[in-house]
Amino acid sequence: MTQKDKLLYLIKYLQNEDPHCSSIDIPDSEADRFDLYRSLVNIRPAGEAEDEYLKTEDDYLKELSNAKRIVDIKDLKPVCKNIYLWQGDITRLRCGAIVNAANSGMTGCYQPCHNCIDNCIHTFAGTRLRYKCAQLMREQGHEEPTGGAKLTPAYNLPCDNVIHTVGPIVLEGLSNEHCELLESSYRSCLELASANGIGSIAFCCISTGVFGFPQQEAARIAVRTVKEFQKQHDIEVIFNVFKDEDLRIYRELLRTDKAS
């Protein structure tokens, strides 16, 4: 099957699963079809899928990933020992693990085509990621606490694993507790990576943006926590940023070592 054929098959399969979606007209353009596919994936409850669907999804998403140009950590230049700074789409990174800024339910963003990192990671990993996260939560018996982390395979992402962490939400002013919880998120991810023999990890800007944590202080905590951990553990870290402002902040912190 061509990519167009695979996408059409995936859409029809997902529509047939949900009677509420079966009557949605499939658009003509490839871009609009992908948005429909992504929306159907986003709203799909955690659950198993038929082998043919999973194989087609794997083939489609891996080809899509290759078309986006994968960025390998081996091709990046460190800004200091074992630390890299890279601006771009974290789903393009090939490394040991990427970090997902998850919610306490840990099963991804259910808002169709939402541009948060949680949505992007689950979209491009495929439906098995949500199902795996749901299994972990079922076994745990409760939601993931703020500052905690969980490890899953990456499925169709170019990285090997995804580490999901729940960062603090800052609604009315930054407190010491918020700072301690954010530090815990970074430390939990690093400890989980180290315990599982993962040699490299890419961090997004946990808890910033819509979650309200001030960018400057969040970056300071991130850099300080990583550098402290690296004193005792051999692990490479990528600070992945998307916004220009975050890039400027991390450049300044890593250049002048103001994170201590």
Side-chain angles (χ1 to χ4, degrees):
M1 285 194 287
T2 65
Q3 279 291 84
K4 289 183 179 180
D5 293 334
K6 293 171 192 172
L7 181 57
L8 188 58
Y9 167 82
L10 296 173
I11 290 170
K12 289 181 176 180
Y13 180 95
L14 294 168
Q15 284 184 313
N16 288 335
E17 276 191 328
D18 187 345
H20 296 98
C21 299
S22 59
S23 61
I24 297 174
D25 291 333
I26 299 175
D28 294 328
S29 81
E30 192 81 359
D32 289 341
R33 284 186 179 185
F34 177 77
D35 285 345
L36 174 57
Y37 158 72
R38 179 173 180 170
S39 298
L40 293 169
V41 168
N42 295 158
I43 65 173
R44 184 181 189 266
E48 295 183 276
E50 294 176 5
D51 289 343
E52 185 179 356
Y53 172 86
L54 293 175
K55 182 182 183 307
T56 305
E57 183 182 64
D58 288 350
D59 291 344
Y60 177 76
L61 291 175
K62 283 174 182 172
E63 191 167 335
L64 207 63
S65 177
N66 289 331
K68 291 196 298 183
R69 293 190 309 228
I70 293 168
V71 176
D72 198 306
I73 187 174
K74 292 182 290 186
D75 298 324
L76 297 179
K77 183 179 179 180
V79 293
C80 50
K81 186 180 178 182
N82 288 335
I83 292 179
Y84 304 81
L85 178 60
W86 184 74
Q87 183 179 27
D89 176 2
I90 200 169
T91 66
R92 291 173 55 204
L93 281 173
R94 176 175 284 139
C95 57
I98 63 171
V99 172
N100 178 28
N103 56 49
S104 59
M106 296 291 273
T107 56
C109 170
Y110 286 79
Q111 183 175 332
C113 292
H114 192 239
N115 202 33
C116 68
I117 191 170
D118 197 14
N119 189 296
C120 293
I121 286 174
H122 275 268
T123 295
F124 293 103
T127 53
R128 284 182 294 173
L129 181 57
R130 176 167 286 172
Y131 182 52
K132 178 63 175 179
C133 289
Q135 288 177 304
L136 291 176
M137 290 299 96
R138 195 176 303 118
E139 291 168 8
Q140 180 166 280
H142 57 82
E143 292 189 333
E144 186 69 12
T146 304
K150 287 286 184 290
L151 175 70
T152 67
Y155 299 105
N156 293 297
L157 295 167
C159 57
D160 297 323
N161 303 276
V162 178
I163 297 178
H164 311 257
T165 189
V166 182
I169 298 173
V170 180
L171 297 177
E172 296 181 3
L174 187 65
S175 68
N176 288 335
E177 184 182 9
H178 291 135
C179 295
E180 290 168 1
L181 287 169
L182 184 62
E183 181 180 338
S184 177
S185 279
Y186 279 95
R187 191 172 58 251
S188 295
C189 292
L190 290 163
E191 289 172 348
L192 198 52
S194 183
N196 286 274
I198 297 169
S200 59
I201 181 172
F203 282 104
C204 61
C205 299
I206 302 167
S207 283
T208 59
V210 296
F211 294 103
F213 208 109
Q215 294 161 270
Q216 183 77 37
E217 183 61 17
R220 190 187 68 80
I221 291 169
V223 173
R224 185 192 68 215
T225 306
V226 163
K227 287 193 170 186
E228 284 296 318
F229 190 84
Q230 286 179 325
K231 290 177 181 178
Q232 303 295 327
H233 301 85
D234 185 19
I235 188 168
E236 294 182 296
V237 172
I238 303 170
F239 288 114
N240 166 245
V241 298
F242 196 76
K243 298 177 180 178
D244 291 341
E245 177 65 9
D246 288 316
L247 180 64
R248 183 196 64 76
I249 290 170
Y250 273 93
R251 275 180 175 163
E252 178 70 12
L253 283 171
L254 293 168
R255 181 170 62 244
T256 60
D257 198 25
K258 289 181 179 177
S260 58

